[in-house]
Amino acid sequence: GSYVWSGNALPLPMVRFGLPEFTPVPFTRQWLAITGFYADGWFEPGRPVTSELKLHQKQLYGRLGRPGGRLHLYGGFNHQVQWGGRSPYFTVDGQMPRGFTNYLYAVTGIKPKGRVGGGFGFDDGNRVGNALGTIDFGVTYDTPGWNWFVYRQNIYEDGSLIRLTNIKDGLNGLRLRRKGATDASFTIREAVFELLYTKSQGEADVGVLNPGRDNYLNNAQVRDGWSYYGRGIGTPFIPPTSQTVWKFPPYGDSFTSNNAVWVLHSGLRGTLGERLRWQSKLSLSSNQGTYDLPFPDKIYQFSGLLALEAPVAWLGGSTLRASFATDQGGLYPSNTGLMLSLRKEWL
């Protein structure tokens, strides 16, 4: 899934408009289609460090290839900015730059270069707000039995990607989806294999041509980072400090104490017999802490989930689901859990 946007936190309130599906561009004979949106929102009150924080978010993706074709090329970007709030760090009287002009700087990502004024040296020398996102590429190819999707997400935060000093970092993925029905009693309908790597972070090379190492999902001004009500908005493999502080010291008042990781992840789902649907998620990670406060040693963590569900006649038609999950390793306390659920949909 997405490095920068996941389902780990509650949804932020926002106003958004755009194209939810790939829409053909006129005069391209359906060879080019685009999807994207433009949004502005608000973070929660009572954050640990900041307050009155606002969100700007947009994305634009293109697809090359006709809808019924076998081969499609994808490319695009997403851009998120936390801006306009209050912070005790690198601000003037606790206030981050605000107003329409600074909103435009946040939206465009243009460096103010002294035009913010009023003593906002931190923002004048960088960009207005905490900006982050990915630049993505992908290819899909249809065979008679499967749809193949290969993708890459390149991380950017402070300009390292332009200089290619953090090009090692990113998310690499392969997804396969089975097409059509099958008579087999056991099937795999969809499979995902991913490698996430974030240990380069610009190689910590601070020089004239490099603005400095990245500190993914943390920010010197927005110290409570890329979070909403204490939960990470981005990938679950860069966790909040609150989840790891049981064993490792906190990285000040920053959002995460562990953003230098590599992760191998697999997700499978399919059917078992005529009624049962199954799903598994297996993840192995190597965790190194942060550059400024690394863990004493590399910490390995395994997390896994296996779930079965089937339709039942109860309540006029429902879904019964059983799940087994476990965390084993040095990053989190070891836990194993079972869950039974009954879901009824009326709409």
Side-chain angles (χ1 to χ4, degrees), residues 48-51 86-96 220-221 223 253:
V49 179
T50 59
S51 61
R86 299 187 62 83
S87 170
Y89 298 101
F90 302 106
T91 55
V92 177
D93 296 327
Q95 179 65 57
M96 298 167 60
Q221 193 176 47
R223 292 291 178 95
D253 51 4

Side-chain angles (χ1 to χ4, degrees), residues 66 101 111 124 133 152 175 181 186 234 253 258 272 289 298:
R66 287 187 172 178
T101 299
K111 286 187 176 182
D124 276 331
R152 162 75 181 183
R175 187 203 68 201
F186 175 83
D253 51 4
N258 179 46
L272 183 61
K298 293 179 182 178

Side-chain angles (χ1 to χ4, degrees), residues 83-338:
W83 77 285
R86 299 187 62 83
S87 170
Y89 298 101
F90 302 106
T91 55
V92 177
D93 296 327
Q95 179 65 57
M96 298 167 60
R98 57 182 175 177
F100 184 70
T101 299
N102 290 310
Y103 172 73
L104 294 180
Y105 282 129
V107 169
T108 61
I110 295 174
K111 286 187 176 182
K113 295 182 178 179
R115 291 187 288 270
V116 173
F120 290 97
F122 180 85
D123 303 276
D124 276 331
N126 294 282
R127 289 174 173 83
V128 171
N130 175 31
L132 67 161
T134 61
I135 298 175
D136 307 340
F137 303 96
V139 179
T140 61
Y141 184 73
D142 280 304
T143 65
W146 293 87
N147 173 269
W148 296 69
F149 180 30
V150 180
Y151 52 93
R152 162 75 181 183
Q153 297 180 11
N154 299 284
I155 303 168
Y156 71 85
E157 286 205 14
D158 67 359
S160 297
L161 185 58
I162 296 177
R163 298 164 179 82
L164 302 182
T165 56
N166 74 332
I167 194 64
K168 294 179 183 179
D169 293 336
L171 179 71
N172 307 281
L174 168 65
R175 187 203 68 201
L176 297 91
R177 284 180 175 166
R178 183 185 291 273
K179 298 163 61 178
T182 176
D183 295 331
S185 59
F186 175 83
T187 66
I188 297 177
R189 304 298 305 180
E190 185 171 4
V192 173
F193 305 98
E194 290 184 328
L195 169 63
L196 173 66
Y197 187 84
T198 66
K199 289 190 176 185
S200 172
Q201 302 194 12
E203 303 293 350
D205 180 17
V206 182
V208 176
L209 298 179
N210 189 357
R213 62 176 174 268
D214 295 295
N215 191 359
Y216 296 136
L217 307 189
N218 285 332
N219 182 261
Q221 193 176 47
V222 185
R223 292 291 178 95
D224 35 26
W226 192 230
S227 66
Y228 187 60
Y229 283 104
R231 306 295 294 180
I233 303 172
T235 173
F237 297 109
I238 297 181
T241 293
S242 59
Q243 294 184 355
T244 58
V245 74
W246 69 280
K247 189 172 182 180
F248 304 104
Y251 179 41
D253 51 4
S254 295
F255 159 67
T256 182
S257 299
N258 179 46
N259 58 18
V261 304
W262 66 248
V263 183
L264 295 173
H265 172 76
S266 69
L268 302 171
R269 66 182 176 189
T271 59
L272 183 61
E274 296 182 357
R275 296 172 57 85
L276 280 177
R277 296 186 295 267
W278 63 271
Q279 181 186 54
S280 70
K281 294 182 180 182
L282 306 174
S283 304
L284 176 66
S285 64
S286 168
N287 304 272
Q288 205 164 308
T290 65
Y291 262 109
D292 293 334
L293 190 63
F295 295 155
D297 298 296
K298 293 179 182 178
I299 304 300
Y300 293 93
Q301 179 71 36
F302 171 79
S303 297
L305 176 141
L306 177 63
L308 294 170
E309 67 177 33
V312 294
W314 305 339
L315 302 177
S318 305
T319 301
L320 182 64
R321 181 181 175 93
S323 302
F324 168 83
T326 186
D327 288 316
Q328 302 294 327
L331 188 64
Y332 307 123
S334 295
N335 282 295
T336 298
L338 296 170

